[in-house]
Amino acid sequence: MTSSMLLGITTIAYLVASGLYIALLVFRVKKLGTLATGLTAVTFLVQTAAIILRWMESYRMGYGHPPLSNMYESLVFFSWATVIFYFGLELKFKNRILGAFAIPFAFVSMALASMFHPDAIQPLVPALQSNWLFAHVMTCFVGYAAFAVASGLGVMYLVKLKFQGKEGLLASLPELRVIDDIIHKTIVFGFLWLSAGIITGAIWANSAWGTYWSWDPKETWSLITWFVYAAALHARFTRGWGGKRIAWLAIIGFVAVVFTYYGVNFLLSGLHSYGSG
Amino acid sequence: MKSGNGKIMSGKNKNDLWAFFSSVKLALFTFFALALASIIGTIIPQGGEFLHFVESRHLSSGTIKVMQALSLPDMYHSWWFVGFLSLFAINLIVCTIDRFPNLLRLVRMDNIALGVDRIVKMPQRRQWFTAAGVEDAESFFAAKLAGFGWKVRHGAHDGHTLLFAQKGPWTRLGVIGVHTSILLIFVGAIIGSSLGFKASLMLPEGTTAAQVYSSGNDNATIPLKFQLRCDWFELDRYDNGTPKDYRSELTVLEDGHEVLKKAIEVNDPLVYRGITFYQSSYQPIKGSYAVEISDKARNLSHRFFIRPGKEIKWPEAGVGFGIVEQRPLYPNSIRHKIWFNDPAGDPVEFWVANGSRVPVVRGGNKYEIVIKQMYATGLQVAHDPGVWFVYAGCIIMLLGLYVAFFMSHRRVWVVLTPTDDGRLKVNFNGSTNKNRVGFDNHFNHMAEELGADESINLTRE
């Protein structure tokens, strides 16, 4: 069994789990929810095993580094982080329907990784050989995962709002007030981790190149993302923004995240170029 | 009359200006403006890449002039971008000064003198009656609240007996911490750019430098108060040819004396007198080679930087040597044919692969030779006295965010009021500024336990 095989299984299983969560949303059969959560939990364990295995494989190849060093590995980790964050939400809010708006992110991320990015384990270039690699990527991706789920919940909010009154299909969704609260808390959580991600990146850059901020496109886009969420939080805390507007900001914020994480590597050049492999 | 009116007017103007600079609207505007402007800077390549960009897009000279007038090639340092950053900073300062007194008032407020009318209207509330006396009830609630982890203060107000306890009043200042941390980072950045420098240096192996070259537009030379020598540079590659490690052995000299030696790598710089030298790149010096020979018997070692076809003498060991021929070595290396001579016998010739260490046995003595491409090591040089402000700002920001988002100021009161029928009315109240749900649960749990305790027999009626 190699990590690549396990990750292949993970991709397909997250697809099935996404289908089950969406089926739960549509048909409201409780058993579907149990099945969806069960499958996601097992898949998550398989994925965890695959990540550990890949880490060990890199040692066997003589490179020895955590599997967070290129686009393929980071997409796998993003998927993993999204699932663990979603499980936290499911436990806290005791609602499985949230999965229909979260687990698809885990699947899409795995699918992108396997379709567009080479899965070969590569040695680390000298710039990446640092303990900050782990801290920086970890913090960023916990934040990204939270923002992904927040945007999914934003979509959920807008869908529920649109069909309010003629419920039926969407009756099982949590109340608007509850969704709004979860979106806000998720953004707060993500914002703390994004801040930590930017800071660890700055400290690392300073210890590698002697400059903590150089307006490189990746840095700049992470700052743009930070501004979007900072604006959302200020609008809520001081102007009482909620509901539709926060739902939209959660979606816009995640577009900025996707661009920071994915778009910048392909459309703009800069220091982070090693992340595009 | 007139002057009084004028005074009011100027006071109002001042307040308007103050209100403008302390407003969240301005904060939202600067977030938006900075985000939008930053996008421009990521689309239009900055600095040296700008010329390349305008050439490849065949932009007209008029367009280029407009872009240059707006400082787009160096947008993040342009007057207008720095203007937005300054606006952001002013907004933060004014907003912090504006809100600080109010927050401090909330932190230091005397919650016992708050007024019973307001206390009993707090969001979390319970009301009981008891036949117990005031002192018994007071000590009962004091003991119970202490058991729940609250530090209780006693007081009296308007004929009521009060108990009050609070947790985390200071957490209200978390937001101030976050805002101050951003200002601290700005201060660090300003100190760094005005008192520090960024520079670079290409230092060939075996050479010494006493100055570095500014990375700014002027490329000015910056003299060092010491000398830096590169003794050796080593490049390690993975099997697929990509660089694995590059390493420079550096020596710091003061007035010709060696004071510090360190081998630096990417991510592991050398710091001396507040100046940091980072390994950043390297450059082969064509046609030159670095040779290290050790004389095992006499425990001598020496490094030479040579060109092929010339005899090199090492008088200390009585050795002469040179490169007489070179050939490619599959897949991407070369090998050297070395001519070697010492007093032990006739000269010999042998092949050595680039970078590998080979023994040479001569009579009773043994030498070791390694020969490799000669390099210049590329160093980034930085002096940044502001970086500690930036780091302090970063730490305060994370702590502040945690406090501001995840910690709350929770307050509970017990108000004891004698009633007309000789009993005591008990009001148990609580409030929190954040995490209402969590506090609700805690409060309900406490209220249930208090109500169930039979020592002073609390009843609803």
Side-chain angles (χ1 to χ4, degrees):
Chain A
M1 215 50 160
T2 66
S3 63
S4 297
M5 289 161 73
L6 290 179
L7 290 172
I9 295 169
T10 304
T11 311
I12 294 161
Y14 281 152
L15 174 63
V16 177
S18 300
L20 285 172
Y21 276 116
I22 291 166
L24 169 71
L25 172 72
V26 175
F27 301 113
R28 277 173 285 153
V29 179
K30 223 178 164 196
K31 267 190 187 150
L32 281 173
T34 318
L35 203 62
T37 301
L39 177 61
T40 308
V42 171
T43 312
F44 178 75
L45 292 179
V46 172
Q47 192 181 21
T48 310
I51 292 172
I52 295 170
L53 200 59
R54 192 177 167 92
W55 200 334
M56 286 158 54
E57 283 165 9
S58 87
Y59 271 95
R60 214 169 303 142
M61 294 171 77
Y63 304 149
H65 61 79
L68 302 169
S69 70
N70 58 21
M71 193 46 101
Y72 176 85
E73 291 174 345
S74 76
L75 281 166
V76 171
F77 186 71
F78 172 70
S79 156
W80 185 88
T82 306
V83 174
I84 198 166
F85 182 80
Y86 164 70
F87 272 131
L89 274 191
E90 189 184 302
L91 277 176
K92 190 166 158 94
F93 295 96
K94 310 262 180 293
N95 193 322
R96 289 197 168 132
I97 290 169
L98 302 177
F101 297 86
I103 299 303
F105 285 111
F107 161 67
V108 169
S109 176
M110 288 300 298
L112 282 177
S114 54
M115 283 194 290
F116 299 114
H117 301 284
D119 70 347
I121 297 177
Q122 270 147 4
L124 286 183
V125 298
L128 290 184
Q129 295 167 15
S130 163
N131 291 332
W132 287 106
L133 172 67
F134 193 73
H136 176 56
V137 178
M138 273 279 290
T139 46
C140 286
F141 278 77
V142 174
Y144 290 175
F147 290 142
V149 174
S151 77
L153 295 171
V155 171
M156 182 198 251
Y157 187 96
L158 296 173
V159 168
K160 171 111 178 169
L161 192 69
K162 176 126 181 131
F163 294 98
Q164 216 174 15
K166 41 184 170 178
E167 308 253 308
L169 193 69
L170 302 163
S172 51
L173 287 180
E175 278 178 59
L176 286 176
R177 193 176 49 80
V178 176
I179 307 176
D180 178 66
D181 183 51
I182 307 177
I183 293 175
H184 169 66
K185 285 185 172 144
T186 306
I187 289 179
V188 161
F189 182 84
F191 188 72
L192 183 65
W193 286 96
L194 175 65
S195 306
I198 294 174
I199 287 172
T200 49
I203 298 174
W204 184 8
N206 193 48
S207 70
W209 298 306
T211 171
Y212 49 83
W213 196 264
S214 49
W215 295 104
D216 142 84
K218 193 90 167 179
E219 286 172 353
T220 309
W221 269 95
S222 72
L223 188 68
I224 292 165
T225 307
W226 193 85
F227 278 134
V228 172
Y229 288 109
L233 292 174
H234 281 83
R236 189 182 183 92
F237 280 131
T238 62
R239 309 187 75 79
W241 278 32
K244 213 166 143 184
R245 287 191 279 200
I246 292 293
W248 273 111
L249 277 172
I251 295 167
I252 294 167
F254 188 60
V255 171
V257 167
V258 170
F259 197 80
T260 305
Y261 168 31
Y262 207 72
V264 168
N265 293 33
F266 301 104
L267 301 174
L268 309 166
S269 64
L271 295 171
H272 257 85
S273 51
Y274 35 74
S276 59
Chain B
M1 261 321 253
K2 238 182 182 173
S3 69
N5 220 349
K7 239 182 199 167
I8 290 169
M9 277 308 289
S10 74
K12 191 171 180 294
N13 282 344
K14 193 187 152 211
N15 284 344
D16 280 353
L17 201 64
W18 184 263
F20 170 74
F21 278 115
S22 70
S23 70
V24 177
K25 255 189 196 161
L26 179 64
L28 293 175
F29 167 76
T30 43
F31 287 166
F32 186 71
L34 284 170
L36 217 62
S38 302
I39 294 176
I40 300 173
T42 62
I43 295 169
I44 298 171
Q46 297 289 297
E49 284 168 61
F50 179 77
L51 280 180
H52 189 72
F53 170 76
V54 294
E55 272 164 23
S56 68
R57 298 290 156 105
H58 304 292
L59 298 178
S60 71
S61 63
T63 314
I64 296 171
K65 269 192 188 132
V66 170
M67 291 173 114
Q68 277 166 341
L70 291 170
S71 307
L72 291 187
D74 191 18
M75 196 209 82
Y76 299 109
H77 303 101
S78 68
W79 59 271
W80 58 272
F81 191 80
V82 172
F84 278 131
L85 286 174
S86 311
L87 196 61
F88 183 41
I90 293 168
N91 185 207
L92 271 170
I93 295 168
V94 176
C95 156
T96 303
I97 296 173
D98 193 56
R99 288 165 178 60
F100 188 65
N102 201 24
L103 282 172
L104 203 62
R105 196 179 53 75
L106 283 166
V107 171
R108 302 163 98 176
M109 187 167 63
D110 181 359
N111 285 283
I112 286 180
L114 194 59
V116 171
D117 290 352
R118 282 180 65 189
I119 293 171
V120 298
K121 282 191 200 121
M122 287 293 166
Q124 276 85 15
R125 52 186 108 141
R126 284 286 192 293
Q127 194 175 66
W128 296 289
F129 292 91
T130 176
V134 174
E135 273 161 34
D136 287 347
E138 203 180 342
S139 57
F140 165 76
F141 281 109
K144 285 301 257 188
L145 286 178
F148 295 131
W150 297 86
K151 271 194 192 137
V152 181
R153 274 178 55 213
H154 298 259
H157 193 71
D158 275 350
H160 306 274
T161 303
L162 286 107
L163 291 96
F164 169 73
Q166 62 180 346
K167 282 177 185 167
W170 57 272
T171 61
R172 289 183 184 268
L173 300 178
V175 60
I176 301 278
V178 176
H179 289 171
T180 315
S181 74
I182 296 171
L183 291 171
L184 207 53
I185 291 171
F186 278 11
V187 168
I190 291 167
I191 292 176
S193 63
S194 50
L195 301 178
F197 62 80
K198 304 260 183 270
S200 62
L201 177 64
M202 263 291 167
L203 190 59
E205 286 175 284
T207 62
T208 306
Q211 59 187 33
V212 293
Y213 303 92
S214 167
S215 306
N217 294 332
D218 52 353
N219 280 337
T221 56
I222 300 169
L224 301 173
K225 292 193 175 74
F226 52 88
Q227 296 91 45
L228 186 72
R229 189 177 69 210
C230 176
D231 295 319
W232 198 249
F233 178 87
E234 214 145 311
L235 174 67
D236 240 7
R237 290 177 190 276
Y238 292 107
D239 294 341
N240 66 7
T242 56
K244 179 181 182 184
D245 271 319
Y246 31 115
R247 219 167 84 94
S248 305
E249 291 175 22
L250 300 180
T251 301
V252 176
L253 303 126
E254 295 239 32
D255 307 322
H257 300 291
E258 296 183 0
V259 287
L260 181 66
K261 273 180 179 288
K262 177 169 166 133
I264 65 163
E265 282 178 40
V266 183
N267 280 309
D268 184 18
L270 162 77
V271 188
Y272 188 71
R273 284 206 182 184
I275 299 175
T276 313
F277 296 86
Y278 300 86
Q279 179 72 72
S280 82
S281 62
Y282 56 88
Q283 215 176 321
I285 296 176
K286 276 230 163 115
S288 293
Y289 297 88
V291 180
E292 186 179 56
I293 306 183
S294 341
D295 180 334
K296 294 290 174 193
R298 273 174 290 184
N299 207 10
L300 287 173
S301 177
H302 204 274
R303 284 166 173 172
F304 304 86
F305 302 98
I306 66 167
R307 290 178 162 274
K310 203 176 153 217
E311 190 189 339
I312 309 295
K313 293 223 184 283
W314 182 17
E316 220 180 337
V319 168
F321 69 98
I323 302 171
V324 290
E325 196 183 341
Q326 291 175 308
R327 283 195 188 157
L329 184 64
Y330 181 82
N332 47 20
S333 184
I334 55 167
R335 53 190 182 135
H336 314 270
K337 192 178 198 179
I338 305 282
W339 174 89
F340 188 93
N341 191 18
D342 77 346
D346 296 331
V348 284
E349 287 186 349
F350 50 90
W351 287 95
V352 178
N354 192 58
S356 68
R357 205 165 274 275
V358 280
V360 183
V361 181
R362 298 280 293 175
N365 197 359
K366 201 177 125 190
Y367 299 90
E368 213 172 61
I369 292 189
V370 58
I371 172 165
K372 63 164 195 72
Q373 171 68 49
M374 181 181 167
Y375 288 96
T377 182
L379 305 173
Q380 291 281 345
V381 187
H383 171 56
D384 188 350
V387 76
W388 295 108
F389 288 85
V390 174
Y391 283 0
C394 289
I395 291 166
I396 294 171
M397 182 189 286
L398 289 180
L399 293 175
L401 283 173
Y402 182 79
V403 171
F405 289 143
F406 297 106
M407 296 180 82
S408 49
H409 179 198
R410 286 143 295 157
R411 295 178 291 176
V412 292
W413 292 263
V414 174
V415 184
L416 305 172
T417 316
T419 60
D420 296 339
D421 57 6
R423 294 189 302 165
L424 269 181
K425 186 169 82 177
V426 179
N427 285 96
F428 179 44
N429 294 81
S431 93
T432 180
N433 65 336
K434 264 171 274 164
N435 188 16
R436 177 79 186 270
V437 179
F439 185 68
D440 267 344
N441 292 337
H442 185 51
F443 186 85
N444 291 339
H445 165 75
M446 289 190 296
E448 252 166 57
E449 235 180 80
L450 289 170
D453 196 303
E454 289 175 350
S455 52
I456 65 162
N457 211 4
L458 296 167
T459 57
R460 289 304 187 98
E461 295 295 326

